[in-house]
Amino acid sequence: MTPPVDGGTAAGAKPPPAGAAPVSTWQPLRLRVFRTLWIAQFVSNVGGWMQTVGAQWLITQESGSAGLIALVQTSASLPVLLLGIPAGALADIIDRRRLLLGAQVLMLAAAGLLAALTALGRMNSYGVLALTFVLGCGTALMNPAWQAIQPELVPREQIPSAAALGGVNMNLARAVGPALGGLVVALAGTATVFAVNAASFLVTLAALATWRRRAEPDPMGAERILPALRAGNRYVRNAPRVRRVLARSLLFVPCAAALWALLPVAARQELGMGAGGYGVLLGAVGVGAVFGAALLPRVRDRWSSNTTLAAGGILFAVTLALLALLRIPWLVGLVLVFSGIAWVGVLSLLNAQMQVTTPGWVRARALAFYLTIFQGGMAVGAAVWGGVADRIGLVPALLVAAVLLAAASLAGLALAVPDTQLDRSVSMHWAAPALVLDPPETGGQVLVTIEYRVPPRNADLFIESMRAMGRSRLRTGALHWDLYRDGTRPDTYLEVFQVASWEEHLRQHSGRLTGFDRETEERARSLVDPDHPFQVTHYLPARASRPG
């Protein structure tokens, strides 16, 4: 497990005592490494939005094709959908700081090439789209690693505040970047915008260079990419809390995407505003994000996460409806402040839940699923709401989105996201297996059986506790799991699970188990007959095993 930076506690540390004062949203900024990386992220985000404006303007001048202009956003988003989950596996396999540095170098090279070719007059629309795609690949490689390092930068109790500051960062950049990009294009041309974006990656590289990450190497060595992908998929499938967070994201993001898809149309058609006015509206959302981040600790201190998520979704739905009905620009701007409050509140909570719920060995992979759902929901939602607005009109489209989001937010109450803390610190409580046969070098599935003797009075509770045990086995590497009862000795139970290879099983022993897994096992095994200790047996592939 990687030690935290600047005196923080590990992600699996115990939460602060009940009744403690809520952590200030701005407290993570007191930590030098977090503050440095946050500022660098803001500079890079502003550069990214400037890059989007410059790319769209260059294509407008070069071809004027609306289809090609729309493909700028597609070129930037598609790599995240294609590479996001493999990038999460990479971020769990190799050193995250090195992966972040590599992604920044890739994006610096693409942005620098785009700036140079544009300055030389050698760039066309298709070249812009191709290099924008490369920049998107860099973003896809960076995102899971960037999210996964947050628990290394701040103490556990500050993770919700760090997530809120991430939302503030993005929304402020969204407000500042397009306006600044348009100004630079007008004053100095698109090549200068691309050069500024390239320089922003130098800022991030310099910030990462100041961070001395103290990573402990995996004693078993790095995982291979395909087994790592399968392990991440198994973890997400068998982690109820993670599935609930992903489900709540699916309920919120596609409907909420209507705001970002239709706000430019509303500004132009309904409010009669130009590009400057649209920038002011985005700024209102950014102001709301700052207010939302400041209010979030107090809200979380009074409301459960489940209630806060539902309230945030309903508030966002109300702002969508008001955007459809209001025609006074300053009132719309005021409404959008509340949109920013709701947006940063919901997404910060979901992001923080993913951070604290997943253990370090699989955190980036789980976050990659979350980021892919978010990006996919934004892309698909924007396309859908744009098409709906074309068919039935802007106002009805916004009202439909508002009704669906409100209904989805209420439905989400049935998918409660608990506030109880889970101990995700590494637990090495399994004894090292002692074998007479050498495990096969070429792999092959391993069968593990554990025999229990359970007093009849504990039978029902034991079976119930073992279901949680089964999820633990499946999360940490088992392909299949089941529990059997002896037909001739009713007090005898046999737990059986298969693992893809002996190496995969050793990874269960050497770092995948957490304090929560240990508590789950202790709960089940406290019901076992103490006069008959459980017995563990490992079965290897018969044809490939040999005496040691």
Side-chain angles (χ1 to χ4, degrees):
M1 183 175 63
T2 305
V5 176
D6 282 356
T9 59
K14 294 184 181 299
V23 176
S24 166
T25 298
W26 319 112
Q27 196 163 336
L29 292 174
R30 298 175 185 172
L31 303 175
R32 180 184 59 81
V33 175
F34 180 88
R35 182 175 64 250
T36 301
L37 292 175
W38 190 90
I39 293 171
Q41 182 189 23
F42 178 72
V43 172
S44 184
N45 285 337
V46 170
W49 283 106
M50 293 176 67
Q51 148 80 26
T52 299
V53 171
Q56 291 173 334
W57 186 253
L58 192 152
I59 293 175
T60 299
Q61 288 184 315
E62 204 266 340
S63 70
S65 168
L68 288 178
I69 294 170
L71 283 177
V72 171
Q73 194 60 48
T74 303
S75 298
S77 301
L78 186 60
V80 178
L81 299 179
L82 296 177
L83 302 177
I85 292 176
L90 274 178
D92 282 329
I93 291 172
I94 65 177
D95 181 79
R96 289 168 183 162
R97 177 176 174 272
R98 292 183 179 179
L99 179 59
L100 289 170
L101 288 169
Q104 296 299 314
V105 169
L106 173 64
M107 291 188 285
L108 172 61
L113 182 60
L114 181 57
L117 292 177
T118 302
L120 294 171
R122 305 289 297 274
M123 183 54 60
N124 59 27
S125 298
Y126 296 101
V128 170
L129 293 176
L131 288 172
T132 300
F133 183 85
V134 175
L135 287 166
C137 290
T139 301
L141 289 172
M142 180 192 74
N143 280 345
W146 191 274
Q147 294 291 330
I149 66 173
Q150 300 306 306
E152 302 175 37
L153 305 178
V154 300
R156 182 187 179 104
E157 65 271 14
Q158 292 184 22
I159 288 176
S161 297
L165 287 170
V168 170
N169 194 311
M170 177 56 72
N171 282 283
L172 285 179
R174 191 198 303 267
V176 173
L180 190 57
L183 179 64
V184 174
V185 165
L187 294 177
T190 53
T192 303
V193 167
F194 297 149
V196 169
N197 186 41
S200 74
F201 298 123
L202 290 173
V203 174
T204 308
L205 281 168
L208 287 168
T210 67
W211 177 31
R212 295 292 181 262
R213 184 174 187 256
R214 300 186 297 273
E216 293 183 3
D218 190 327
M220 292 192 60
E223 293 181 73
R224 290 165 294 174
I225 185 67
L226 289 179
L229 286 169
R230 289 192 287 265
N233 185 43
R234 280 195 302 272
Y235 184 91
V236 170
R237 287 204 318 268
N238 294 285
R241 286 201 183 191
V242 171
R243 294 202 313 270
R244 285 172 181 256
V245 172
L246 297 180
R248 295 297 286 266
S249 301
L250 276 174
L251 288 173
F252 177 76
V253 173
C255 293
L259 176 71
W260 308 112
L262 301 180
L263 182 59
V265 183
R268 185 177 68 253
Q269 294 182 1
E270 303 298 329
L271 302 175
M273 304 175 78
Y278 173 57
V280 171
L281 295 182
L282 287 177
V285 179
V287 170
V290 175
F291 278 121
L295 291 171
L296 190 58
R298 291 185 175 84
V299 172
R300 292 184 75 250
D301 194 47
R302 289 168 173 78
W303 291 356
S304 68
S305 294
N306 203 35
T307 302
T308 303
L309 289 171
I314 292 172
L315 176 59
F316 201 92
V318 170
T319 66
L320 285 176
L322 291 175
L323 178 61
L325 300 175
L326 294 176
R327 297 293 179 271
I328 303 174
W330 71 267
L331 275 179
V332 171
L334 180 61
V335 166
L336 290 174
V337 170
F338 288 93
S339 298
I341 292 172
W343 177 263
V344 80
V346 170
L347 294 183
S348 296
L349 273 177
L350 293 172
N351 187 287
Q353 282 285 344
M354 290 296 295
Q355 299 279 1
V356 301
T357 299
T358 52
W361 72 269
V362 75
R363 184 177 298 123
R365 278 167 278 190
L367 283 163
F369 277 88
Y370 169 74
L371 293 169
T372 300
I373 285 176
F374 173 80
Q375 192 69 38
M378 288 290 289
V380 173
V384 168
W385 293 116
V388 170
D390 285 340
R391 285 181 174 273
I392 66 174
L394 174 66
V395 171
L398 285 168
L399 292 174
V400 169
V403 171
L404 289 178
L405 180 55
S409 300
L410 292 174
L413 289 169
L415 297 168
V417 178
D419 287 309
T420 53
Q421 301 286 346
L422 302 180
D423 183 0
R424 291 305 192 193
S425 58
V426 175
S427 179
M428 309 283 283
H429 60 276
W430 281 9
L435 301 180
V436 175
L437 297 176
D438 286 335
E441 296 180 359
T442 56
Q445 293 186 4
V446 174
L447 180 70
V448 182
T449 67
I450 309 175
E451 183 178 288
Y452 305 94
R453 299 282 289 274
V454 181
R457 67 180 181 277
N458 293 340
D460 291 342
L461 192 55
F462 175 77
I463 292 171
E464 182 64 29
S465 298
M466 288 299 290
R467 292 195 182 101
M469 182 95 84
R471 288 194 294 270
S472 171
R473 308 291 198 224
L474 294 166
R475 277 196 303 272
T476 56
L479 300 174
H480 307 286
W481 177 91
D482 218 328
L483 181 69
Y484 297 89
R485 192 173 190 178
D486 193 325
T488 60
R489 295 179 299 164
D491 66 339
T492 302
Y493 295 79
L494 189 69
E495 179 189 7
V496 178
F497 62 93
Q498 287 175 284
V499 188
S501 66
W502 183 249
E503 176 188 334
E504 192 79 358
H505 183 53
L506 289 181
R507 290 189 184 279
Q508 290 181 299
H509 280 265
S510 66
R512 289 187 177 178
L513 296 172
T514 67
F516 178 71
D517 296 311
R518 185 187 64 250
E519 293 166 6
T520 301
E521 292 184 24
E522 290 173 349
R523 191 178 307 116
R525 290 175 178 174
S526 68
L527 303 169
V528 175
D529 187 342
D531 295 329
H532 296 85
F534 60 88
Q535 298 180 4
V536 182
T537 307
H538 297 87
Y539 291 91
L540 307 175
R543 294 183 179 179
S545 304
R546 62 183 186 277

